[in-house]
Amino acid sequence: LPDALGARLSSHKSELLALFQEPNGKETSPWQQIIPNEKDRHLPFPLTDLQQAYWVGQSAPLELGNICCHYYVEFDNQGIDLERLDIAWQRVVQRHEMLRAVVLPDGTQRILEEVPPFQIEVTDLRGHNSEIVSEHLDKIRGLLSHQAFAASDWPHFDIRATRCDGFTRLHVSINILFTDVYGILQIFTEWQRFYIDPETILEPLQLSFRDYV
C-alpha cells in the first residue's frame, strides 16, 4: 500500500475492526433476491464487462489477438472407463448451462437449450514405441494449449484421450469466456462425482447466469 493510505488505515484501525465485526442486519443473502426467469432463459443477454474484454481481445485484427483465454490441463489415469467418463461429462454439460453458451454476432450471448452429446476423441497408441507416443502427446499439447475457440460456435471446450501402454492421458481445454477457474474446479469436482457414482443426484441449480447478469 502507498505510505499515505497505510497511515490512514492505521489511524482508523479500531473503527475498521469494529465495522467488520458488526452484523450486517440482513436476514437474506443478496443472491436470494434474484428471481429466476425460466421463461426467458434461452433468450440473448449481455456479456459482462470481463466477457466483452475477452471476446474483443481475441479478435484477429488486434495486434495481440487471434487467441482466446482458456484453461488447459492434462490428467494421467490408469484403467479409466472412457465411455463412462463421456456420460459423466454430458451430465455436467446438461447441469451447467454456460457450458452450452455461445456469443452472437451482435455481442450478446445465448444459452443453447439443447446441444448434441459431446464425444471424447480417443487415440489408441498402445503397442507403439515411445517416440511415436511422445510425438503425439507433444502435438496434442501444442494444439490444445494454444486453442482459439470461435465465440459463435459450440462447444467451448475440447476433451481428448490418448491411450498409452500403462496409462491413459486426458487432455482438457476449456474456454474461460463462459466460466472462470473456480467454476472449472467445481465442474471437475462434479464430473468426478458423476463418474465415480453414476447414480449421483445433485440438488438442482435455481439461478441462471442470465438471471445474475
Side-chain angles (χ1 to χ4, degrees):
L1 292 175
D3 292 341
L5 179 56
R8 289 182 61 195
L9 290 173
S10 296
S11 67
H12 294 281
K13 179 177 178 180
S14 59
E15 298 162 71
L16 289 170
L17 289 175
L19 179 64
F20 291 144
Q21 291 168 355
E22 289 179 2
N24 59 24
K26 296 179 181 178
E27 296 182 358
T28 59
S29 162
W31 306 111
Q32 295 171 317
Q33 298 172 12
I34 303 176
I35 301 175
N37 182 358
E38 288 287 343
K39 179 174 66 70
D40 297 334
R41 201 175 192 94
H42 301 290
L43 295 181
F45 62 104
L47 296 169
T48 66
D49 290 345
L50 184 58
Q51 284 181 302
Q52 189 174 54
Y54 284 160
W55 178 59
V56 173
Q58 72 181 44
S59 302
L62 296 183
E63 182 180 353
L64 298 178
N66 202 29
I67 188 170
C68 72
C69 294
H70 76 286
Y71 180 93
Y72 176 70
V73 66
E74 297 176 353
F75 301 102
D76 285 350
N77 305 266
Q78 294 180 341
I80 193 168
D81 185 332
L82 292 177
E83 182 178 355
R84 184 168 170 172
L85 192 69
D86 245 333
I87 295 172
W89 179 256
Q90 291 169 25
R91 291 188 63 187
V92 172
V93 173
Q94 186 60 36
R95 174 172 168 80
H96 292 283
E97 60 190 13
M98 289 306 289
L99 290 175
R100 307 192 306 274
V102 295
V103 177
L104 303 178
D106 64 357
T108 59
Q109 59 188 324
R110 186 168 78 87
I111 297 164
L112 303 177
E113 187 171 1
E114 294 182 1
V115 293
F118 178 83
Q119 300 292 323
I120 298 173
E121 181 180 320
V122 182
T123 301
D124 193 343
L125 295 182
R126 289 174 293 184
H128 289 72
N129 63 51
S130 58
E131 184 177 344
I132 291 177
V133 172
S134 295
E135 183 179 337
H136 172 79
L137 295 178
D138 288 345
K139 179 181 177 181
I140 294 297
R141 178 180 296 164
L143 176 65
L144 298 194
S145 64
H146 291 76
Q147 198 165 16
F149 294 94
S152 59
D153 297 338
W154 185 89
H156 281 269
F157 51 82
D158 195 348
I159 306 174
R160 306 189 191 188
T162 304
R163 287 196 179 279
C164 308
D165 291 325
F167 71 96
T168 296
R169 176 164 296 178
L170 287 177
H171 317 263
V172 184
S173 175
I174 301 178
N175 189 352
I176 61 173
L177 178 63
F178 298 110
T179 184
D180 55 20
V181 174
Y182 183 86
I184 290 172
L185 295 177
Q186 180 69 23
I187 287 167
F188 284 167
T189 298
E190 294 183 8
W191 189 15
Q192 183 183 47
R193 290 185 63 183
F194 288 142
Y195 175 82
I196 293 174
D197 181 9
E199 302 301 319
T200 295
I201 302 296
L202 300 180
E203 183 179 350
L205 300 175
Q206 299 299 321
L207 286 180
S208 164
F209 186 66
R210 187 181 190 280
D211 296 326
Y212 168 76
V213 172

